[in-house]
Amino acid sequence: MDEKDIQLKRREEEEQATRERARILNLPYLDTRDFEEDIPLTPDLLTKEQMHRDYIIPLQKGGGEDHFQFMVTSQTPRSVILKMHQDYTDDGEKADFFLISNSAYKAFMLRYDPPREVHYDDIKIAGEGDSETITSVSQTLAMVSTEKVFDFLIDQADKLGASDIHIENMRSEIRIRMRVDGILHPVANIDKDRYRIFMGELSSRANISTATNKPQSGHMQTEIHRDGSTHILNIRVETIPTMYGQDAVLRLFNFDETLLNLDLLGLSKEERATIDEIISHPRGLVLMVGPTGSGKSTTLYSMLNALNTSDRKIITLEDPIEYGITGISQIPVNTNSGGSFAEGLRSVLRLDPDVVMVGEIRDADTAKTAIQASITGHLVLSTFHANSTSAAFSRMIDLIGVNPIFASSIRLIVAQRLIRKLSDSKAPRPATEAEASYIREVFKDTSRELLTGIDLDNITLYDPVPNEQNPFGFSGRTVIMEQLVVSDDIQAFIRGDIDDVNAKQIEQTAKKHGMLTLEQKGVLAVLKGETTLEEVSRVI
């Protein structure tokens, strides 16, 4: 039985109960289902306030000008019916009363008094020390109706382009912050009562408990309707008990396959060519490294989309699944309940995949299984926690030891960060002597071929200029990417041909082969006027 059938059955049961109630009250029963949506209204007989207060609806004028009909419910006070009957009789008129169900009453009231569409002020991000904006947004949230406060926050976060909503318990109030372009901004403070409403709605939608004293993970989806279009927002929910209650973080993912595209990542021609060349091979291991929120998943999914053709079998193992992609078999792995990537990977390899994506390599077993898969005819993509590409090699060697098979399997490691881009209102200025000295030091051993168009003798930098659209002078983020293509010299480190392997040695060797580090890529973005040295320093 579907939802519509269930609703019809419930309405029928309610009408039967109302018919029985009418017999007890000695009132004629009226079934309005056939006409409650289209019968003409008679709005001048009663005020909306009276209809709400006394649960009474004017039906129509009867057979003559002095004949009136009203619909009442079991909640209508008997004294109201008697008084109205007496008043109409005293005036030489006639009034009939019919008992209707509560559902019928609600249907008529939606026509007599339709809910007003309320438009609340958009949430604004507060600047440093801007208590007035926080107070204003807090007041707006206090006015949003109980059942809409949750959806309003999510809609506003999506409108601002926020990646996270942080709900944090403090001693006397709840602080709400949103992460926009990688920076956490205070938004509002709400009282504890509103927070309980919010958490109640969150627990219902994300299937988490408000009573537990353990960290929880949940997931939900919601549709966002804006400017005539609709998109689905994937929301990962994490809660943890704190001194004053459960804190919650909602991570927002725009569920739009068209955005998972290598062309939209802002890669240079050289960076794109390197990725295209590596993933075109039928086997090998590609690792994405970087901290949480650095865009690793988006880049990995964009690679998968580029590989997603009808002649390839692609399987992913994820904890949790962040984006659903048509044409790819995606398998959730619940590591909190005993599942493991290594076990899942061994299972999916029996399904004859061409490409496998493993959400994260966390242990030696998963690492060795992924390496084995990558040398037996599979292209394996995964993420790994490390600060840089060279550090990833050192960490992997610490994890699995010196491993000649790893040397022949790993083809590319990509480290990336997301940095805020300056808006068009940016202001140029000459670099200070200290800034120029630092920039020249960053590129002192770099080939001039890699610095085409860059003048290190006359350096111009740009400062952010706030405006109404971009109160911090930044607009959006872009990727800076460090790509380490595994050469024979790099393989020598992994095979154990070189004693005392460390990340610095690996990095120096890679730089001799033309690799630009994250710091160098960030400073290049500064020299191109895309961002600031302070932003690069903050991120890297």
Side-chain angles (χ1 to χ4, degrees):
M1 184 179 292
D2 60 22
E3 183 66 24
K4 184 177 180 180
D5 291 335
I6 292 173
Q7 295 297 329
L8 291 173
K9 182 180 179 182
R10 287 176 179 169
R11 181 66 186 271
E12 176 60 32
E13 291 172 350
E14 184 181 4
E15 294 299 331
Q16 289 177 3
T18 304
R19 185 183 292 110
E20 180 61 24
R21 183 67 177 169
R23 187 183 64 80
I24 296 172
L25 295 176
N26 196 28
L27 285 170
Y29 160 74
L30 183 62
D31 187 344
T32 66
R33 282 177 286 183
D34 291 338
F35 60 83
E36 62 192 24
E37 294 183 2
D38 51 25
I39 189 174
L41 302 180
T42 52
D44 298 330
L45 287 182
L46 299 174
T47 65
K48 293 177 183 177
E49 290 75 18
Q50 185 177 359
M51 286 188 266
H52 281 294
R53 184 186 69 236
D54 296 332
Y55 297 93
I56 185 169
I57 302 281
L59 177 57
Q60 61 186 359
K61 292 185 178 181
E65 286 296 319
D66 300 331
H67 188 180
F68 300 91
Q69 296 177 328
F70 299 94
M71 297 178 289
V72 297
T73 75
S74 58
Q75 295 176 276
T76 305
R78 189 72 175 177
S79 59
V80 169
I81 298 174
L82 293 174
K83 185 176 186 306
M84 287 182 65
H85 184 272
Q86 185 64 45
D87 289 343
Y88 277 91
T89 302
D90 290 346
D91 292 339
E93 299 166 335
K94 182 179 180 182
D96 292 328
F97 298 89
F98 300 88
L99 190 72
I100 62 172
S101 66
N102 288 330
S103 292
Y105 168 79
K106 291 175 182 177
F108 277 105
M109 284 308 301
L110 282 175
R111 295 182 62 200
Y112 274 104
D113 190 22
R116 293 184 299 273
E117 187 175 350
V118 181
H119 295 279
Y120 301 102
D121 292 336
D122 286 339
I123 285 178
K124 293 182 175 62
I125 296 297
E128 188 69 31
D130 183 4
S131 59
E132 289 186 8
T133 297
I134 294 176
T135 300
S136 174
V137 176
S138 301
Q139 291 171 347
T140 297
L141 284 179
M143 290 188 295
V144 177
S145 61
T146 298
E147 66 275 10
K148 291 183 178 179
V149 64
F150 184 85
D151 288 324
F152 177 73
L153 264 182
I154 292 175
D155 177 78
Q156 289 292 300
D158 178 73
K159 195 169 189 176
L160 287 167
S163 59
D164 309 83
I165 305 173
H166 291 244
I167 315 294
E168 302 161 318
N169 283 269
M170 303 176 77
R171 182 188 295 274
S172 58
E173 59 190 5
I174 307 300
R175 179 172 65 176
I176 298 177
R177 295 192 290 173
M178 293 184 184
R179 191 179 296 279
V180 180
D181 291 339
I183 302 292
L184 266 178
H185 298 282
V187 169
N189 298 315
I190 61 176
D191 62 42
K192 295 276 187 177
D193 289 338
R194 301 292 278 180
Y195 176 72
R196 283 191 284 269
I197 295 166
F198 187 93
M199 284 302 295
E201 189 72 18
L202 182 63
S203 65
S204 173
R205 297 195 194 187
N207 194 28
I208 59 174
S209 170
T210 58
T212 185
N213 58 359
K214 296 180 180 179
Q216 298 175 91
S217 296
H219 175 265
M220 55 181 285
Q221 286 186 350
T222 187
E223 284 190 353
I224 301 292
H225 306 279
R226 182 172 294 114
D227 300 329
S229 63
T230 300
H231 64 270
I232 298 175
L233 208 59
N234 234 5
I235 303 172
R236 186 195 301 178
V237 179
E238 302 291 340
T239 66
I240 192 167
T242 67
M243 181 177 181
Y244 298 113
Q246 282 195 64
D247 281 11
V249 176
L250 280 63
R251 299 198 64 196
L252 313 181
F253 302 91
N254 190 339
F255 194 82
D256 188 344
E257 288 185 46
T258 62
L259 298 179
L260 302 174
N261 190 321
L262 289 171
D263 294 331
L264 302 178
L265 297 183
L267 306 180
S268 68
K269 290 182 179 179
E270 294 78 16
E271 290 168 340
R272 177 64 190 272
T274 297
I275 290 176
D276 286 343
E277 197 280 326
I278 294 296
I279 66 175
S280 67
H281 288 265
R283 68 173 188 85
L285 178 63
V286 177
L287 291 179
M288 290 290 306
V289 302
T292 300
S294 60
K296 300 189 302 294
S297 295
T298 300
T299 301
L300 266 184
Y301 279 107
S302 298
M303 290 183 189
L304 288 178
N305 245 352
L307 293 165
N308 189 12
T309 57
S310 59
D311 59 341
R312 286 192 180 96
K313 173 74 170 182
I314 303 177
I315 300 179
T316 70
L317 296 163
E318 306 174 58
D319 179 22
I321 296 173
E322 293 179 358
Y323 301 96
I325 303 180
T326 305
I328 293 179
S329 300
Q330 297 175 262
I331 302 172
V333 177
N334 191 344
T335 55
N336 292 327
S337 299
S340 75
F341 283 118
E343 182 181 348
L345 182 55
R346 283 189 286 268
S347 298
V348 302
L349 290 178
R350 294 192 286 270
L351 302 177
D352 189 30
D354 298 292
V355 181
V356 179
M357 193 271 274
V358 181
E360 184 182 348
I361 292 178
R362 301 175 181 172
D363 52 60
D365 191 15
T366 305
K368 291 176 180 177
T369 306
I371 291 167
Q372 189 66 38
S374 68
I375 64 170
T376 55
H378 308 90
L379 177 63
V380 180
L381 313 176
S382 189
T383 66
F384 189 59
H385 274 290
N387 286 328
S388 65
T389 56
S390 52
F393 275 113
S394 297
R395 279 206 63 224
M396 187 64 78
I397 291 170
D398 290 341
L399 190 64
I400 64 175
V402 174
N403 191 320
I405 300 178
F406 178 47
S408 60
S409 68
I410 185 69
R411 297 183 56 81
L412 173 68
I413 296 187
V414 177
Q416 73 174 49
R417 301 290 191 276
L418 294 173
I419 56 172
R420 291 184 295 170
K421 295 190 299 182
L422 287 166
S423 63
D424 293 338
S425 60
K426 62 188 177 184
R429 64 169 176 83
T432 65
E433 187 55 43
E435 290 168 335
S437 177
Y438 162 72
I439 291 171
R440 294 185 189 112
E441 178 66 21
V442 167
F443 293 113
K444 68 177 182 179
D445 297 323
T446 305
S447 167
R448 285 291 171 183
E449 295 178 2
L450 298 174
L451 301 176
T452 303
I454 301 297
D455 183 1
L456 294 180
D457 297 322
N458 299 287
I459 299 174
T460 298
L461 303 182
Y462 293 83
D463 288 331
V465 177
N467 55 44
E468 188 174 345
Q469 289 75 29
N470 303 295
F472 298 93
F474 292 91
S475 177
R477 289 189 290 177
T478 188
V479 170
I480 53 172
M481 186 176 284
E482 175 182 300
Q483 296 178 328
L484 197 160
V485 179
V486 180
S487 62
D488 291 339
D489 290 342
I490 299 296
Q491 286 184 348
F493 288 101
I494 310 170
R495 289 194 301 265
D497 298 349
I498 300 172
D499 295 330
D500 191 28
V501 176
N502 60 65
K504 195 66 178 176
Q505 287 177 293
I506 296 173
E507 182 179 287
Q508 290 299 329
T509 302
K511 288 171 70 174
K512 289 177 183 177
H513 287 273
M515 184 189 82
L516 291 173
T517 65
L518 279 171
E519 183 181 26
Q520 290 174 326
K521 287 289 186 70
V523 175
L524 277 178
V526 172
L527 296 176
K528 294 175 182 176
E530 296 175 354
T531 191
T532 66
L533 285 174
E534 291 77 14
E535 177 67 6
V536 172
S537 175
R538 179 188 70 83
V539 171
I540 301 177

